[in-house]
Amino acid sequence: MWLKIFTTFLSFATGACSGLKVTVPSHTVHGIRGQALYLPVHYGFHTPASDIQIIWLFERPHTMPKYLLGSVNKSVVPDLEYQHKFTMMPPNASLLINPLQFPDEGNYIVKVNIQGNGTLSASQKIQVTVDDPVTKPVVQIHPPSGAVEYVGNMTLMCQVEGGTRLAYQWLKHGRPIHTSSTYFFSPQNNTLHIAPVTKEDIGNYSCLAKNPVSEMESDIIMPIIYYGPYGLQVNSDKGLKVGEVFTVDLGEAILFDCSADSYPPNTYSWIRRTDNTTYIIKHGPRLEVASEKVAQKTTDYVCCAYNNITGRQDETRFTVIITSVGLEKLAQKGKSLSPLASITGISLFLIVSMCLTFLWKKYQPYKGQKQNTGKPKHFQAMKMLWMTSEYMNLLLFQMLLVFPGCQVGLFQPLMVYRGKICTVQFMKLFSTSLPSSKTIQSELSWANQYIGGKF
């Protein structure tokens, strides 16, 4: 046997060196059971040849090679046992196996001999494997009802009905899963254990089964994992939120929404705290508060979220402050003069009328009065008129600051003067329309210092 192997190797080396070369595209070919398999072979030489002989042999591990078929020039001589299974078309040395069966798995040896001035020989070996295609895998989850986060475990099993030499791979969102602190695989890799489950384990899982001739992926499956509540928060459609405090204008109805990440969805309860007492006022994720119906201007509320599967709960506290009409509403209502401004205007008119009537009656020239007595009375009249004018200017200045009137727009800048709201427009209007006086200048100085406006 060793002599035969040495002779074969020597003849191959001699043939290769003298110009005969036999090549194959691949030394391993995978075939599907029941289908035809073609083994391509190419050879070439550079010397004249009178005869070309091609021989195909088949061997399995630990067995002697068996003759399949051979040819000299274009004449084929098959083994009668395999004459209907193997086909060759010389001078082409390629072999066709049809149909391919599991017993056909093994090594196929092709040998080419060239007869010319001498004999040249060369050979190649091809390993053939035979497999059944993979059928579509099916993934089963245990327990099918799901598992609780940090408490339960989960097992995913990949089952394949057809296929040989199967290899399994688990995918999450289309990417391979590797062993970790919570992921474990069976020796064949067809079972995935997750222990314990967490929220991060939620996703699209699939099993990829493959062999040398095919691969198939299962349908996507999503394990049921119960978790939460997480990230509990309260939001509203109106009002101003600063931290855990909501500021609501008097007369508004505000809708609060309580939400948290959880599966299954949480059950929500709303609690109101008043005078060191707490009581549930509503169940559900939403709560509507009518500010005019709230007795206290500052009220504390609590939203509680409870998951009846995980047994976990969370709560968040917030405060609602009821205020008077804010800056925005004042700006929106600035197109109509407020009732207080109208009252102030009427009062101002009455004061001016009374002062003028008083001065006219008191300092009217009497008949028979001496000429030298009019000067002191004239001086007192002028002083009274000056004081009246100063008082009018002061009232008008404060009225313009407090009641901007119908010219206030939504986008007009507002300022606060002594706890009141005024507009820059009327500040500037005052400096050009009212007369200069010490009383008014003192008010202007105060406004410039604390408001920051330039009049």
Side-chain angles (χ1 to χ4, degrees), residues 269-282:
S269 301
W270 296 88
I271 299 175
R272 181 161 59 194
R273 294 188 173 187
T274 305
D275 298 329
N276 297 326
T277 60
T278 60
Y279 51 92
I280 298 176
I281 57 176
K282 191 178 184 299

Side-chain angles (χ1 to χ4, degrees), residues 12 22-24 27 56 108-111 122-126:
F12 168 73
V22 178
T23 59
V24 293
H27 289 280
W56 277 96
Y108 290 78
I109 302 170
V110 58
K111 181 181 179 183
S123 65
Q124 288 286 355
K125 181 185 288 188
I126 303 173

Side-chain angles (χ1 to χ4, degrees), residues 330 338 340-341 344 395-405 415 417-423 426-427:
L330 180 62
S338 64
L340 187 58
T344 305
L395 285 179
L396 183 58
F397 173 79
Q398 293 180 346
M399 183 185 70
L400 290 175
L401 291 180
V402 178
F403 309 106
M415 292 185 179
Y417 170 70
R418 294 191 179 181
K420 303 298 182 178
I421 301 170
C422 57
T423 63
F426 278 92
M427 293 287 195

